[in-house]
Amino acid sequence: MTCPDKPGQLINWFICSFCIPRVCKLWSSRRPRTRRNLLLGTACAIYLGFLVSQVGRASLQHRPAAERGAHQSRDTPKASFPEIPLDGTLAPPESQDNGSTLQPNVVYITLRSRRSKPANIRGTVKPKRRKKYAVVYPAPGQEALVGPSLQPQEAVRAADADVPGYVQRGNLANVGEEHWRLIRDPGVRVGGSDLQLPKARESNIRIYSESAPSWLSKEDIRRMRLLADGVVLGFQPVSSNSQVRLLMFEGSAAGSVPGCGPSPCGLVKQPLDMSEVFAFHLDRILGLNRTLPSVSRKSEFIQDGRPCPVIFWDSSLSPTSNETHSSVKLTWGTYQKSLKQKCWQNGRAPKPDRGCTAVHHHEWSKMALFDFLLQIYNRLDTNCCGFRPRKEDACVQNGLQPKCDDQDSVALAHIIQRKHDPRHLVFIDNKGFFDRSEDNLNFKLLTGIKEFPESAVSVLKSQHLRQKLLQSLFLDKVYWESQGGRQGIEKLIDVIEQRAKILLTYINAHGAKVLPMNE
């Protein structure tokens, strides 16, 4: 007889060879039947219990392996590790039939997704270059600036389109990874043959969609292209003591300075005034439309080729005084009185004794909101009495800062209208300051303002201000690069967004009204 090699077989052999003969002998003996039945029942119960435990252990060993094999065979085409959740949550223990729970023997980990670089905004991915074709230059007397016309591949658009566009695949409003294609105009057909002219210089105003952003009009885009790419015939200082220069673009007539007449001109300011470009885009996004188009431009004969802001020259502006550079004579005291009178609101003409000007009441609300976001103080607070100025500020350099006792007599500056439209203001000299700390903001700019424009407040509340500013400022290639690309632009937008939150808190705390101001 061979010895069994497993413990279970050894026990079965022991019972069969040793115990059963003893039980049979005991059964055949002449002992009392009651005691014999008791011993026999006890032995059978022990044996049956042993058999049940062996069967249960074998089923637990073989069933999980079979289930795991079947599960893996079914899930092999799917995820390699389905037991590890990617969202960081732990799956609950599996319940058994007897009410107990089976604890998992896998380790759950959390895989956090981290973006290696910021998402590309619309237009930040430079389009793949296609074959370039030249553009015919216009004859003298036509528009000076003709940028490369970009047309859809499916159908060639009309040659007299106001704004050349780009074609985008995807949603224009979304910020994300998008694909672009750049298509140049085909060669011009002259005298029955195709004539390929020299390559045209790429415009510094980048539009990578079929149309510009909705807050910029076609006229805005046309003037931006003129200021950024127009051929300059000459320049001249506006005055003997001013560093501001007037550029005369192609088509200007001799002797038209400083008004330029109907010909296009632009004012070139110092590189430190680059915030004028940001102010223009912010004005359009807020729906105020009170600033003049501004771009950034490099020129060899101005500021040694450094980027400078160029502002469109509007000959329709009213004449200004030499002292305040305003077409409306107002002091701080008379300005506060006119705010209480709500001049020209609801179409009502004010009485002569009210001290009203021709400016509509809502214009002051738009100016105050705009100046607060950019912290422009040279209009309503020329003496810098509403904040702590630094030595670089004009009020300190001109010795005006200590004169804060008699504020009612202080004249307002840069309050300008148009000749044909005295009801509305034009915001000029929009030099903003992004380095004002939150505890040094000029709240004097909001004094007396009880209403704010609904269009601007809705943009500030919509959480889309950053996206719109990125899309709008990206159009100006020189400005975008001069501020350090997207990283530098994001820092400027951070400041404006924080001031917007403070302004909204101010509006709620003072119970100011938010009204539609479409007059």
Side-chain angles (χ1 to χ4, degrees):
M1 178 183 294
T2 60
C3 182
D5 55 350
K6 292 185 179 180
Q9 295 178 359
L10 180 62
I11 295 174
N12 292 334
W13 175 81
F14 176 79
I15 292 176
C16 295
S17 62
F18 182 79
C19 294
I20 293 178
R22 301 294 189 280
V23 171
C24 293
K25 185 177 181 179
L26 183 62
W27 180 272
S28 62
S29 65
R30 296 181 178 180
R31 293 184 180 180
R33 182 171 297 181
T34 303
R35 185 177 180 181
R36 183 174 56 194
N37 293 340
L38 179 62
L39 293 175
L40 181 61
T42 303
C44 292
I46 293 174
Y47 183 69
L48 290 175
F50 174 76
L51 291 179
V52 170
S53 64
Q54 291 295 319
V55 172
R57 181 180 300 176
S59 64
L60 288 176
Q61 290 178 355
H62 294 285
R63 186 178 62 181
E67 289 179 356
R68 285 196 301 269
H71 180 71
Q72 290 179 357
S73 63
R74 290 193 305 265
D75 294 345
T76 299
K78 298 181 181 179
S80 300
F81 301 96
E83 68 275 14
I84 301 179
L86 298 180
D87 56 354
T89 59
L90 296 180
E94 298 179 358
S95 299
Q96 293 183 343
D97 296 338
N98 57 2
S100 62
T101 57
L102 179 62
Q103 297 296 333
N105 60 350
V106 295
V107 178
Y108 290 92
I109 62 175
T110 301
L111 300 179
R112 295 183 179 180
S113 61
R114 187 179 67 179
R115 183 180 296 169
S116 59
K117 58 182 180 180
N120 295 316
I121 67 164
R122 179 173 66 88
T124 56
V125 180
K126 203 165 186 178
K128 184 179 180 181
R129 296 297 181 189
R130 302 289 184 180
K131 186 177 180 180
K132 298 182 180 180
Y133 299 93
V135 178
V136 175
Y137 293 98
Q142 296 181 356
E143 183 177 351
L145 174 64
V146 178
S149 177
L150 298 123
Q151 302 173 348
Q153 190 176 16
E154 295 77 11
V156 179
R157 297 189 178 275
D160 58 349
D162 292 328
V163 183
Y166 286 73
V167 179
Q168 173 190 2
R169 297 175 182 174
N171 190 353
L172 296 178
N174 290 338
V175 177
E177 295 182 359
E178 296 169 334
H179 304 281
W180 312 87
R181 68 177 183 271
L182 176 61
I183 305 170
R184 298 282 181 176
D185 282 340
V188 182
R189 190 175 183 84
V190 180
S193 61
D194 293 335
L195 174 63
Q196 299 292 337
L197 297 181
K199 296 181 180 180
R201 181 171 60 90
E202 184 179 358
S203 174
N204 287 320
I205 302 301
R206 305 176 290 190
I207 302 178
Y208 296 153
S209 63
E210 291 184 350
S211 61
S214 59
W215 49 86
L216 294 173
S217 65
K218 293 182 179 180
E219 187 66 17
D220 288 335
I221 297 298
R222 189 187 69 82
R223 292 177 175 179
M224 289 172 63
R225 290 192 182 278
L226 170 68
L227 298 174
D229 305 316
V231 178
V232 178
L233 297 181
F235 64 94
Q236 178 176 335
V238 175
S239 60
S240 58
N241 58 352
S242 175
Q243 295 181 344
V244 179
R245 297 185 178 187
L246 187 67
L247 294 185
M248 294 172 290
F249 294 103
E250 189 176 31
S252 300
S256 60
V257 178
C260 287
S263 302
C265 294
L267 287 174
V268 181
K269 292 193 173 183
Q270 300 296 312
L272 294 177
D273 299 329
M274 196 69 76
S275 57
E276 294 245 14
V277 179
F278 190 100
F280 162 67
H281 290 272
L282 179 63
D283 166 75
R284 294 300 192 266
I285 292 173
L286 295 178
L288 304 179
N289 300 321
R290 293 295 180 266
T291 63
L292 300 175
S294 304
V295 302
S296 182
R297 179 168 180 157
K298 293 180 180 179
S299 181
E300 295 77 9
F301 53 86
I302 298 177
Q303 297 295 332
D304 299 329
R306 290 184 294 169
C308 300
V310 183
I311 297 93
F312 184 78
W313 178 273
D314 192 343
S315 58
S316 66
L317 299 182
S318 301
T320 61
S321 65
N322 295 329
E323 296 180 359
T324 61
H325 303 283
S326 299
S327 59
V328 181
K329 186 177 181 180
L330 273 177
T331 62
W332 177 261
T334 55
Y335 164 66
Q336 291 296 317
K337 290 180 180 178
S338 65
L339 290 179
K340 296 178 181 179
Q341 299 297 331
K342 298 184 178 181
C343 305
W344 305 101
Q345 191 172 11
N346 298 324
R348 295 193 302 265
K351 297 180 180 180
D353 57 346
R354 296 293 179 88
C356 289
T357 64
V359 180
H360 196 281
H361 174 68
H362 289 165
E363 295 298 297
W364 306 114
S365 300
K366 297 177 181 179
M367 175 181 286
L369 180 143
F370 184 71
D371 287 1
F372 180 83
L373 292 177
L374 293 171
Q375 287 297 293
I376 301 172
Y377 65 88
N378 61 359
R379 276 192 278 263
L380 300 175
D381 190 16
T382 55
N383 289 6
C384 302
C385 298
F387 67 103
R388 300 185 303 273
R390 298 178 301 182
K391 61 181 181 179
E392 295 85 4
D393 291 317
C395 57
V396 176
Q397 294 180 356
N398 297 332
L400 301 176
Q401 199 272 334
K403 301 178 182 180
C404 293
D405 297 333
D406 186 13
Q407 281 295 292
D408 289 343
S409 61
V410 176
L412 305 186
H414 305 290
I415 309 298
I416 296 181
Q417 311 151 292
R418 284 188 171 91
K419 300 174 184 177
H420 62 278
D421 187 14
R423 294 285 182 271
H424 300 107
L425 295 174
V426 179
F427 302 162
I428 66 168
D429 288 340
N430 303 310
K431 183 179 179 179
F433 294 88
F434 295 90
D435 55 353
R436 301 270 192 251
S437 59
E438 296 180 10
D439 60 347
N440 193 28
L441 297 180
N442 192 351
F443 283 92
K444 184 183 177 183
L445 304 175
L446 305 177
T447 303
I449 303 298
K450 304 298 182 183
E451 302 94 9
F452 289 90
E454 183 182 37
S455 62
V457 174
S458 63
V459 173
L460 299 181
K461 291 182 177 180
S462 65
Q463 306 297 323
H464 296 309
L465 179 61
R466 175 180 297 272
Q467 175 185 349
K468 291 183 177 181
L469 281 172
L470 285 172
Q471 292 180 1
S472 192
L473 292 171
F474 179 78
L475 300 182
D476 194 327
K477 179 181 178 181
V478 177
Y479 179 80
W480 183 273
E481 295 175 352
S482 67
Q483 302 303 310
R486 175 165 181 167
Q487 184 177 4
I489 298 295
E490 293 268 15
K491 293 180 180 179
L492 301 180
I493 299 177
D494 289 341
V495 176
I496 299 301
E497 280 192 334
Q498 186 61 30
R499 292 176 184 174
K501 295 178 182 178
I502 296 175
L503 178 61
L504 294 176
T505 303
Y506 177 91
I507 293 174
N508 294 331
H510 289 76
K513 297 180 180 180
V514 179
L515 304 175
M517 299 181 180
N518 302 322
E519 293 85 357

